Amino acid sequence: MAKNYKNYTNKEMQAITIAKEIKDGQIVIVGTGLPLIGATVAKNKFAPNCKLIVESGLMDCSPIEVPRSVGDLRLMGHCAVQWPNVRFIGFETNEYLNGNDRMIAFIGGAQINPYGDLNSTIIGDDYIRPKTRFTGSGGANGIATYSNTVIMMQHEKRRFIDKIDYVTSVGWAGGPGGREKLGLPGNRGPLAVVTDKGVLRFDEKTKRMYLAGYYPGVTIEDIVENTGFEIDTSRAVQLEAPSEEIIKMIREDIDPGQAFIKVPVEE
């Protein structure tokens, strides 16, 4: 039976939207999962000269199949340099200190506020005895400090809230000048939030999040209902559906084992 590549999922749409955020020639900090799927799509279709790096210290990676971790041999076997982690941190910092603006990074969290500040540490107002404790920053705080970021989230009301329980990675810190008040670079920060429903960006003047695009099959009303703060939708447009060619590449070449994206079961 012929395979169906028209029945794309919102998660596949999310990975492709991630790919389109990457410009040719950029250095891309990725983790595993959707960011790496998106970055691999970008390298194959939209930005062939982008360079993928991971915080374990592997530079200029070109995985054929999506790895399961940042130390996976599928990354190591197709990279230019295998550095220790500390060299990655130094490289990231030096990019900023030398005035380079060629780096973009993908991070996520459990909660996000209207200005792109992220929480991936605790749920609850008691740090010592929280309701839930997560793994914490990893490298995300340093990445959010020195690099422009794209944030990946599931679009749920409990995640998009006015006041997050803990600031793990700083976004625009309340608006214009917020980062500078904290001693952070004001010319770095979150560029977009890519969810399973659409893409949100930050207003150039206010630095507040607004809805920029939504996926086919998703409504603006659905996004508003799943956002726990007031969101501007006046600039929102419906995004273009993906080509069958790209869906086939994701399913057959990049994630054939369905480690991160499950293929819909045909009736």
Side-chain angles (χ1 to χ4, degrees), residues 98-222:
N98 285 290
N100 295 324
D101 192 17
R102 54 181 182 166
M103 189 172 283
I104 187 171
F106 292 89
I107 58 176
Q111 295 177 332
I112 189 169
N113 68 16
Y115 297 97
D117 301 313
L118 279 175
N119 172 23
S120 56
T121 303
I122 62 165
I123 298 295
D125 54 11
D126 186 341
Y127 181 81
I128 303 300
R129 296 179 182 84
K131 294 177 182 176
T132 307
R133 187 176 298 280
F134 301 111
T135 54
S137 167
N141 179 276
I143 288 168
T145 295
Y146 292 113
S147 304
N148 290 319
T149 57
V150 172
I151 298 163
M152 300 151 306
M153 300 279 289
Q154 294 299 103
H155 209 129
E156 300 172 351
K157 200 166 189 174
R158 65 193 178 103
R159 296 178 183 273
F160 284 73
I161 59 178
D162 259 315
K163 186 178 184 300
I164 60 179
D165 293 337
Y166 188 94
V167 179
T168 308
S169 304
V170 178
W172 291 114
R179 288 176 64 88
E180 291 90 337
K181 289 176 185 175
L182 297 173
L184 302 177
N187 61 347
R188 298 289 190 273
L191 303 176
V193 184
V194 178
T195 80
D196 56 333
K197 297 184 183 296
V199 58
L200 305 102
R201 302 193 187 280
F202 297 88
D203 185 83
E204 190 174 338
K205 292 182 179 179
T206 67
K207 301 300 184 185
R208 187 180 172 95
M209 193 186 303
Y210 68 91
L211 179 63
Y214 55 97
Y215 302 155
V218 174
T219 65
I220 292 176
E221 291 74 21
D222 183 31

Side-chain angles (χ1 to χ4, degrees), residues 18-173:
I18 286 170
K20 291 180 178 179
E21 292 295 316
I22 298 170
K23 297 180 176 64
D24 205 23
Q26 281 186 318
I27 297 170
V28 188
I29 301 175
V30 292
T32 51
L34 280 185
L36 190 50
I37 291 174
T40 305
V41 170
K43 198 167 180 65
N44 280 280
K45 297 299 295 182
F46 308 122
N49 298 303
C50 70
K51 308 295 183 184
L52 312 184
I53 67 176
V54 295
E55 60 185 301
S56 58
L58 307 178
M59 301 290 184
D60 195 9
C61 304
S62 297
I64 297 171
E65 182 182 316
V66 64
R68 304 304 193 264
S69 74
V70 295
D72 194 315
L73 290 175
R74 279 167 284 206
L75 276 173
M76 292 183 180
H78 298 275
C79 70
V81 179
Q82 296 180 15
W83 274 345
N85 172 259
V86 67
R87 294 288 298 274
F88 162 84
I89 296 169
F91 178 80
E92 173 190 12
T93 308
N94 279 323
E95 280 290 300
Y96 167 71
L97 293 176
N98 285 290
N100 295 324
D101 192 17
R102 54 181 182 166
M103 189 172 283
I104 187 171
F106 292 89
I107 58 176
Q111 295 177 332
I112 189 169
N113 68 16
Y115 297 97
D117 301 313
L118 279 175
N119 172 23
S120 56
T121 303
I122 62 165
I123 298 295
D125 54 11
D126 186 341
Y127 181 81
I128 303 300
R129 296 179 182 84
K131 294 177 182 176
T132 307
R133 187 176 298 280
F134 301 111
T135 54
S137 167
N141 179 276
I143 288 168
T145 295
Y146 292 113
S147 304
N148 290 319
T149 57
V150 172
I151 298 163
M152 300 151 306
M153 300 279 289
Q154 294 299 103
H155 209 129
E156 300 172 351
K157 200 166 189 174
R158 65 193 178 103
R159 296 178 183 273
F160 284 73
I161 59 178
D162 259 315
K163 186 178 184 300
I164 60 179
D165 293 337
Y166 188 94
V167 179
T168 308
S169 304
V170 178
W172 291 114

Side-chain angles (χ1 to χ4, degrees), residues 5-8 12-13 16 20 41 45-46 240-250:
Y5 299 112
K6 293 181 181 179
N7 62 342
Y8 63 88
E12 287 170 325
M13 190 72 187
I16 294 165
K20 291 180 178 179
V41 170
K45 297 299 295 182
F46 308 122
E240 183 181 357
S243 69
E244 291 181 53
E245 177 192 6
I246 291 180
I247 296 300
K248 180 180 180 181
M249 180 173 63
I250 291 173

